[in-house]
């Protein structure tokens, strides 16, 4: 998991939770707890990006007749110092990625 946005810890943005944990000499779980605690009431604005499901699981889901493709993120931009940045690529590219990767590349 990579921290994409945190108001409380901008110095961690762009780094993996594991890398932050290594630099602080604490377990990754401790980094997450600190992140939520330090963010306080704004913890809902924390944005993480990462791979949750392994490739075989994704393929299994995509081939199931009851599967429906969707994303759980909405288009969102915030000024984080270097201009407007799209924080979660899935809100813009999940559908095209699925079509390109799993339909065009692997099926054709």
């Amino acid at each position: 998991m990579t921290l994409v946005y945190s108001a409380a810890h901008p110095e961690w943005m762009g780094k993996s939770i594991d890398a932050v944990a290594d630099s602080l000499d604490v377990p990754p779980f401790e980094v997450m707890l600190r992140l939520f605690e330090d963010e306080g009431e704004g913890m809902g604005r924390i944005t993480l990006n990462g791979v949750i499901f392994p490739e075989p699981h994704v393929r299994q889901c995509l081939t199931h007749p009851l599967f429906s493709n969707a994303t759980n993120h909405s288009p969102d931009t915030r000024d984080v110092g270097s201009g407007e940045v799209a924080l979660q690529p899935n809100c813009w590219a999940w559908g095209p990625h699925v079509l390109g990767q799993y339909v065009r590349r692997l099926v054709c």
Side-chain angles (χ1 to χ4, degrees):
M1 299 293 292
T2 300
L3 180 62
V4 178
Y5 176 81
S6 166
H9 290 286
E11 72 279 11
W12 294 354
M13 288 171 34
K15 296 179 181 176
S16 73
I17 298 303
D18 287 339
V20 173
D22 288 346
S23 71
L24 299 174
D25 197 28
V26 297
F29 184 73
E30 178 67 28
V31 171
M32 294 302 296
L33 290 177
R34 285 189 197 181
L35 186 60
F36 293 141
E37 182 178 12
D38 294 349
E39 204 74 32
E41 290 185 22
M43 79 167 68
R45 304 269 302 167
I46 294 170
T47 306
L48 297 163
N49 195 8
V51 176
I52 298 172
F53 302 106
E55 184 68 21
H57 186 110
V58 173
R59 289 182 187 206
Q60 180 184 20
C61 289
L62 286 171
T63 59
H64 194 281
L66 297 177
F67 177 79
S68 177
N69 182 30
T71 180
N72 64 346
H73 207 287
S74 62
D76 187 11
T77 60
R78 292 184 203 119
D79 186 350
V80 293
S82 60
E84 293 295 310
V85 177
L87 296 177
Q88 176 49 277
N90 288 345
C91 65
W92 305 106
W94 175 239
H97 171 74
V98 169
L99 292 173
Q101 172 71 9
Y102 297 102
V103 177
R104 184 176 50 238
R105 189 172 89 62
L106 295 175
V107 175
C108 296

